[in-house]
DNA sequence: TGTAATTAGGTATTTGAATTCGCAAATGTA
DNA sequence: TACATTTGCGAATTCAAATACCTAATTACA
């Protein structure tokens, strides 16, 4: 989908997958989720595997296998998912010339800080359970 | 420097280069700018070439050659430079499932729109001439 | 117990951006 | 005019992220 504010495609997929699972009545397997999100099963599997290893979901193999929420969706912020997939969401600084932007208070002024804070706060407060499906 | 909010490294370099040229008393050549910004001359040349083709600067070859501002630095917004390098700064939408996010009003809510607007407005208003060098 | 379904996960490929390389074209100066 | 300097720019390389491939391990169930 392209990147929004430094969020990787993997993190985006992770969010969507968890949202699908947490709003679904039955267990979903990788094939179903991949189908719903229009991406390859293999690629999705990788991401689900990470979510399983980190105890967001349980996974079970074999026929009737699939994924199931392990944690309360009200306890999972979007930020937590982003950080799992992309590493710590840290503000990146404008590093030119020995690690410091040569322009006083940086070419970018304070807008970086402001947008970053707003962004982070928003995703910190927004929980998986706040999402609702259209279909 | 890594990416901030979808801004490419090329756009970042372009901004810094123009800022250096516009605050410099003498003409600067590619070698000097590359030196100042700690990147390779060839890589910088590419970017300067684009800026020259688009009439932000004049370029002259040969000994004593280099780059010089062509336009008033007060008339150049950071946004214009970004858009030259990266193409139109358009909000990118969350496209899953036939181009539409399956979650009502999208997983990302309105934060995308808000941050995007703020970001764009800021860079629209901020002119090259607003920048001042530290050194 | 055999088979099909399903996740696990290492490896390979693709893709696009960033970066480097190499040489051609232009130009100032001796 | 010869030469050193500098930009122009196509082509190659690197690098990381995204994505695909392949097979092993696990499991439900006929």
């Amino acid at each position: 989908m392209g990147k929004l504010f430094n969020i990787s495609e993997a993190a985006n997929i992770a969010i969507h997958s968890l949202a699908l699972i947490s709003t679904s009545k039955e267990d979903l397997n990788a094939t179903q989720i991949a189908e719903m999100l229009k991406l390859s099963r293999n690629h999705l599997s990788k991401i689900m595997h990470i979510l399983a290893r980190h105890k967001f979901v349980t996974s079970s193999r074999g026929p009737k296998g699939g994924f199931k929420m392990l944690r309360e969706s009200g306890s999972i912020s979007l930020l937590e998912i982003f950080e799992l997939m992309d590493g710590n969401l840290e503000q990146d600084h404008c590093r030119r010339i020995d690690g410091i932007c040569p322009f006083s208070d940086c070419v970018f002024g304070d807008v970086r800080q402001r947008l970053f804070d707003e962004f982070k706060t928003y995703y910190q407060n927004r929980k998986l359970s706040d999402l609702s499906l259209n279909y």
Side-chain angles (χ1 to χ4, degrees), chain A:
Chain A
M1 73 159 210
K3 286 194 174 191
L4 169 81
F5 300 141
N6 261 352
I7 298 308
S8 71
E9 179 67 0
N12 189 35
I13 292 173
I15 290 239
H16 280 80
S17 301
L18 285 179
L20 285 174
I21 293 170
S22 72
T23 56
S24 164
K25 286 284 186 290
E26 305 100 38
D27 289 7
L28 296 176
N29 64 36
T31 305
Q32 295 171 310
I33 297 170
E35 162 81 13
M36 288 192 262
L37 295 181
K38 298 268 196 266
L39 42 89
S40 86
R41 202 191 63 75
N42 285 309
H43 185 43
L44 180 88
S45 287
K46 281 270 153 58
I47 291 161
M48 291 314 302
H49 179 47
I50 295 171
L51 294 174
R53 273 197 286 115
H54 287 83
K55 312 287 190 197
F56 285 86
V57 296
T58 53
S59 66
S60 56
R61 302 202 233 197
K64 305 281 182 185
F67 303 94
K68 190 185 312 214
M69 288 305 292
L70 192 48
R71 290 175 46 191
E72 248 307 314
S73 67
S75 75
I76 303 174
S77 70
L78 300 195
L79 184 66
E80 190 181 353
I81 305 171
F82 284 144
E83 294 201 322
L84 170 65
M85 303 305 295
D86 293 351
N88 265 12
L89 191 68
E90 271 171 19
Q91 205 190 3
D92 72 344
H93 298 285
C94 179
R95 305 192 168 280
R96 293 258 147 249
I97 309 178
D98 302 325
I100 300 166
C101 181
F103 294 91
S104 53
D105 84 32
C106 174
V107 162
F108 298 100
D110 63 351
V111 74
R112 282 168 163 259
Q113 189 66 51
R114 289 208 328 276
L115 295 185
F116 177 80
D117 289 346
E118 188 173 352
F119 179 76
K120 183 160 181 172
T121 300
Y122 181 89
Y123 286 106
Q124 218 156 20
N125 294 335
R126 193 157 175 94
K127 308 296 183 193
L128 211 50
S129 55
D130 298 333
L131 309 178
S132 62
L133 274 173
N134 270 333
Y135 72 133

